[in-house]
Amino acid sequence: MLTWGCGTFILSRRRRTSRLGVSRSLEVPCLPQDEGDSRSIPKLYIPLVRHVYVAQLSVAAIRSTITPRRALFGAIGAAFISVSAIGTEALIRARIPDLQSRLPSALYTRPVPWGSNRRVQPAVAIGTVDGSPLEERIPVRLADIPNRLVQAVLAVEDQRFYDHHGVDVRRIGGALVANVRAHGIVQGGSTLTQQLAKNLFLSASRTPLRKVREAALAVVLEKRYTKSQILEAYLNEIYLGQDGARAIHGVGAASRYYFGKDVRKLTLAESAQLAATINAPNRNAASRHPETATQRRDLVLQLMVDQHRISQAAAGQANHVDVNEGEHPGATFDGRAFRDVALAAVGKKLPARGEAIYTTLDAAMQRAAEHALENGLDRLRAPGVQGALIAIDPRNGDVLAMVGGRDYGESQFNRATAAVRQPGSAFKPIVALTALAREKDHPPAFTLASIVADAPLSVQTAKGAWEPADFDGSYRGDVTVREALEQSLNIPFARIGMTVGPANIAATAHRVGITSPLDPVPSIALGSSGVTLLELVRAYGVLATGGDLNSTRMFLGRGHHGDRVQLAGNSSPSRVVDPAVAYLVTSALEGVIERGTGRALGAQGHDGAIAGKTGTSNNGRDAWFIAYSPTLVVGVWVGYDDSRDLHMTGASAALPIVSRFLSTTTTDDDWPSFAVPDGVTVADAGRGASDWDSGCGSREYFLSGTEPSERDCQSFQVPGAIKWGEKMGRDAGREVLRFLARQLRALRGGTE
């Protein structure tokens, strides 16, 4: 039983000494006494006493067994094991990797820009395959680095580089004395080789063990490689600042970022400035601290003079040059929405470094897409409104630009690929494809000249009466299919949809690339079933190619950065629509841009053949606009994530974003004319309400064999002449609009 003894716990009734020579009584502070027994110990403290006792016994046991001799041999053994472990690590790990293999495995933009007359630029890293931070690296050989830069680095970082074998004892002693005098760390003793070893193999933690490992690795590196190889690796590995979230490594990338030029073109002043930033790149950056940068630059120049690397005259000239305070960021776009989709599609695991995966993303187009969407949404002055943009090349399915939302940092949800929204009238071209196509050997249900009533309509459904209405609430009477598509009239297209059947419309949609489930109900003709922006853009790509569907492609190939790209195979396109039928729809969608709901795009002076369609869902919840040529399809969606009413149309919310994007990324050569395929005939469609100026009525495109009977208009029956006249009319109209736009801009400029 434990008893209380004036601050002493007596662990037995008899005071004895244990075999370890420890008394079984423990001296502890006096504890509060229980009311019942002044000599008893409260049960609460018994576990504590036992733990203290065991600890004392353990310490005593260790003291009794360790003699000075044993301690000496133990220390020697531990040192031997440590040295052996450090040496083994150095022998195994101290290998300089190839310059290309030091690049993080990453996704890159396309190596050759899309389109015509574009300046070729280096591929830009979009994201690493393992999710690690991006690094900015441009590998350069030692032979391509100017000697003045090499001498500047050696002067300030390791002036005895060619005299030591990895560790400079003299420098370590000098650094120790300097640090003692300064009562702090003001000078480092690491050689250039030690710095390389730390950057390649170790962390930046300041511990004695790391310094020992660093020295061992440096010695092995010196034994295995020449000074030139070590110097080349160092100049490509050294950290030299930040380009946003990207760490800049190596003089190649640093030269491009700080001076906007190739490293081979650096002057003496620029070389000294770059070398001066090595010890503290962010603190010594001229863009942030120009005075500090100037002082450091001048110090490097003086060291070069003192070490007889340059003349005093050369240093004097360089001293009079102002430090370069500019910066030249390499990547000025985000691209993370595309990166997320692409990484998910990579599939197999790749090494952390050395692999370059080239994607279809075009750097210039991605940059323009992000700016166009951001500015377009800001213009709407609608807090919380979101948007998405996708641009593809319909000839091969390449995704050229993708923006998934207003700000990826705030929301990573990709509205371009994952948001399923009602396309509204942007779905009508798919209805038109169904209506204008032949069904086996039967003639099509409609032609572009067919008359459809724009009059009140009521359709009984399982949910009650469905009564579609046009956007403006008016009725136009009889209109042609072309007019209904150009003016985006709902009631005529509801009638067309009822005639051809909702199930057939859904089948056509799936055939042209829509993969979302579609409800075969009457309202499908007005875009009531949800689709993604990517699906809709892909479907318009079928129209752009004249009936061919290409699978969406995001990868061009892989290899080492800067080397020849090993191109991946591309799947063959599938013919899913009759080219003649596709052309009929495209001709009507050209009319949308010329005189229909998309005429604002044509009014802004975009040259070349452009077809497109606006789309607005119920109550303006979703605003769409898709524009395309034979080589490019661009789509934009605007709306709220919670499906609130936007109260805007595709023409007012989405079209200006597409227009801004096209104006900064394309040239006239990117918009070739749509070729008229075989099986299309131009014929007189008869007089209509707008044909007051022609005795023959309007001219229209038909599938061969579906045109009306010949009329007395023989002098105008040559399709080539008609096409020429139409083109002349369009060109004249565009020139007038362009002239008016210039006059309006000049007037605004004069009054502001």
Side-chain angles (χ1 to χ4, degrees):
M1 183 182 76
L2 297 175
T3 58
W4 181 267
C6 192
T8 302
F9 284 119
I10 302 175
L11 302 175
S12 64
R13 294 186 180 279
R14 298 172 57 191
R15 291 180 58 89
R16 295 185 303 176
T17 302
S18 70
R19 289 182 299 170
L20 300 178
V22 179
S23 173
R24 290 187 180 273
S25 63
L26 302 177
E27 296 292 336
V28 297
C30 293
L31 300 175
Q33 300 177 358
D34 285 353
E35 294 180 0
D37 185 359
S38 62
R39 295 184 59 79
S40 65
I41 299 176
K43 294 182 179 180
L44 176 65
Y45 299 102
I46 293 176
L48 174 63
V49 173
R50 288 174 178 169
H51 286 303
V52 172
Y53 174 64
V54 171
Q56 285 194 356
L57 291 181
S58 300
V59 172
I62 294 173
R63 289 177 177 175
S64 64
T65 57
I66 297 179
T67 63
R69 184 176 181 181
R70 288 180 179 178
L72 177 61
F73 284 133
I76 294 174
F80 177 78
I81 293 174
S82 300
V83 171
S84 299
I86 293 173
T88 302
E89 178 195 32
L91 291 172
I92 294 174
R93 299 184 64 191
R95 299 186 183 278
I96 297 178
D98 180 77
L99 294 181
Q100 296 293 342
S101 65
R102 285 299 298 159
L103 293 168
S105 293
L107 304 176
Y108 289 87
T109 56
R110 58 192 308 124
V112 179
W114 180 90
S116 58
N117 301 322
R118 292 180 185 269
R119 184 165 57 92
V120 177
Q121 294 181 340
V124 178
I126 306 168
T128 57
V129 297
D130 61 357
S132 60
L134 282 169
E135 298 175 359
E136 200 69 42
R137 294 174 181 263
I138 300 179
V140 289
R141 297 295 177 187
L142 184 60
D144 295 328
I145 301 175
N147 184 61
R148 50 185 168 271
L149 176 57
V150 174
Q151 296 302 323
V153 171
L154 293 178
V156 70
E157 291 298 318
D158 193 353
Q159 62 177 305
R160 299 184 65 251
F161 173 68
Y162 289 101
D163 298 327
H164 62 69
H165 300 287
V167 178
D168 191 347
V169 178
R170 184 189 305 178
R171 182 174 183 179
I172 293 174
L176 180 61
V177 172
N179 293 335
V180 170
R181 289 176 176 175
H183 302 287
I185 300 177
V186 297
Q187 185 175 330
S190 296
T191 63
L192 186 148
T193 313
Q194 287 178 269
Q195 294 180 49
L196 176 62
K198 180 194 71 175
N199 293 333
L200 288 178
F201 312 115
L202 305 174
S203 67
S205 60
R206 291 175 175 268
T207 63
L209 177 59
R210 194 216 76 187
K211 296 299 293 183
V212 174
R213 295 170 65 200
E214 176 186 292
L217 288 164
V219 171
V220 176
L221 286 175
E222 291 276 354
K223 293 294 184 181
R224 286 180 173 168
Y225 300 97
T226 65
K227 290 289 187 179
S228 296
Q229 290 174 309
I230 293 172
L231 185 58
E232 180 182 84
Y234 174 84
L235 293 173
N236 279 278
E237 187 65 30
I238 190 67
Y239 170 73
L240 288 167
Q242 291 287 137
D243 180 2
R246 302 169 186 245
I248 302 173
H249 287 271
V251 296
S255 175
R256 183 70 62 183
Y257 178 74
Y258 291 114
F259 307 106
K261 62 174 65 176
D262 188 277
V263 67
R264 291 172 291 187
K265 299 179 180 180
L266 291 182
T267 65
L268 175 60
E270 292 168 339
S271 298
Q273 180 181 338
L274 188 57
T277 65
I278 292 177
N279 73 322
N282 298 308
R283 187 175 67 241
N284 295 332
S287 60
R288 298 179 180 88
H289 308 286
E291 294 183 358
T292 301
T294 301
Q295 294 173 358
R296 285 286 302 173
R297 190 271 315 267
D298 293 346
L299 173 62
V300 172
L301 290 171
Q302 188 58 48
L303 288 173
M304 295 177 73
V305 172
D306 296 342
Q307 298 169 23
H308 307 291
R309 299 178 188 272
I310 59 172
S311 65
Q312 185 65 59
Q317 291 179 352
N319 282 329
H320 287 87
V321 178
D322 293 335
V323 293
N324 191 319
E325 300 181 26
E327 293 179 344
H328 306 268
T332 55
F333 64 85
D334 194 323
R336 286 179 287 181
F338 177 89
R339 178 204 63 186
D340 292 346
V341 179
L343 285 176
V346 169
K348 59 184 179 180
K349 186 175 179 62
L350 295 170
R353 291 186 179 271
E355 287 287 334
I357 303 172
Y358 292 95
T359 70
T360 59
L361 197 73
D362 183 271
M365 299 186 80
Q366 179 66 25
R367 186 179 303 113
E370 292 175 1
H371 291 169
L373 186 67
E374 180 181 4
N375 293 334
L377 296 180
D378 288 343
R379 180 187 59 84
L380 300 179
R381 300 183 182 278
V385 69
Q386 282 289 351
L389 183 151
I390 287 184
I392 70 169
D393 186 333
R395 298 168 296 182
N396 46 36
D398 287 359
V399 177
L400 303 173
M402 177 186 290
V403 187
R406 186 181 197 126
D407 186 344
Y408 182 91
E410 294 182 358
S411 171
Q412 291 76 51
F413 180 62
N414 192 337
R415 296 157 189 83
T417 61
V420 179
R421 308 295 292 246
Q422 291 182 339
S425 294
F427 195 78
K428 288 175 181 174
I430 297 176
V431 181
L433 282 175
T434 309
L436 298 174
R438 288 187 173 94
E439 187 66 28
K440 296 181 180 179
D441 295 331
H442 300 286
F446 295 87
T447 69
L448 288 176
S450 295
I451 300 299
V452 187
D454 184 14
L457 174 67
S458 180
V459 179
Q460 291 299 320
T461 69
K463 296 182 179 180
W466 176 56
E467 298 178 349
D470 292 335
F471 180 77
D472 58 4
S474 64
Y475 304 101
R476 293 164 178 76
D478 290 344
V479 297
T480 65
V481 172
R482 173 183 286 275
E483 290 170 336
L485 189 54
E486 289 180 354
Q487 302 303 323
S488 196
L489 303 178
N490 290 335
I491 299 176
F493 260 87
R495 296 181 186 276
I496 294 172
M498 292 297 296
T499 301
V500 300
N504 290 330
I505 295 173
T508 301
H510 291 314
R511 195 164 59 249
V512 298
I514 302 293
T515 57
S516 294
L518 303 175
D519 293 330
V521 295
S523 60
I524 190 177
L526 305 185
S528 61
S529 289
V531 299
T532 68
L533 178 60
L534 177 59
E535 291 174 332
L536 198 59
V537 167
R538 186 167 55 212
Y540 275 71
V542 173
L543 299 173
T545 59
D548 291 340
L549 173 64
N550 283 284
S551 300
T552 302
R553 186 169 73 160
M554 306 185 76
F555 303 104
L556 293 177
R558 56 185 294 186
H560 290 294
H561 182 61
D563 291 350
R564 187 184 183 93
V565 182
Q566 182 181 354
L567 295 177
N570 190 26
S571 59
S572 300
S574 302
R575 177 61 54 85
V576 295
V577 171
D578 181 358
V581 177
Y583 181 79
L584 295 185
V585 177
T586 291
S587 70
L589 296 183
E590 285 187 285
V592 170
I593 304 301
E594 293 174 8
R595 53 188 170 270
T597 56
R599 59 187 176 275
L601 183 67
Q604 296 180 22
H606 293 289
D607 292 330
I610 304 179
K613 185 69 186 75
T614 57
T616 309
S617 64
N618 289 339
N619 297 322
R621 290 192 182 96
D622 305 279
W624 306 74
F625 185 67
I626 317 292
Y628 67 93
S629 77
T631 60
L632 182 65
V633 184
V634 183
V636 167
W637 167 85
V638 176
Y640 288 102
D641 287 339
D642 58 4
S643 296
R644 277 182 285 159
D645 294 346
L646 182 63
H647 299 299
M648 297 181 189
T649 65
S652 62
L655 185 150
I657 297 173
V658 173
S659 178
R660 184 181 182 90
F661 172 77
L662 296 179
S663 65
T664 56
T665 59
T666 61
T667 65
D668 295 350
D669 294 335
D670 297 323
W671 298 92
S673 298
F674 295 98
V676 182
D678 295 336
V680 174
T681 299
V682 181
D684 177 20
R687 289 181 62 86
S690 61
D691 296 329
W692 56 271
D693 60 341
S694 173
C696 300
S698 62
R699 309 293 291 174
E700 188 56 271
Y701 294 102
F702 296 89
L703 296 181
S704 297
T706 65
E707 67 273 15
S709 59
E710 292 292 331
R711 298 190 178 189
D712 189 18
C713 297
Q714 299 298 322
S715 59
F716 298 95
Q717 293 298 316
V718 182
I722 295 171
K723 288 288 291 181
W724 176 79
E726 291 177 346
K727 185 177 185 304
M728 288 289 291
R730 287 197 300 267
D731 291 346
R734 286 181 181 136
E735 287 299 326
V736 172
L737 292 172
R738 212 178 278 117
F739 172 77
L740 293 175
R742 286 197 298 266
Q743 294 299 316
L744 181 60
R745 284 195 296 269
L747 181 61
R748 288 175 176 173
T751 57
E752 289 181 351

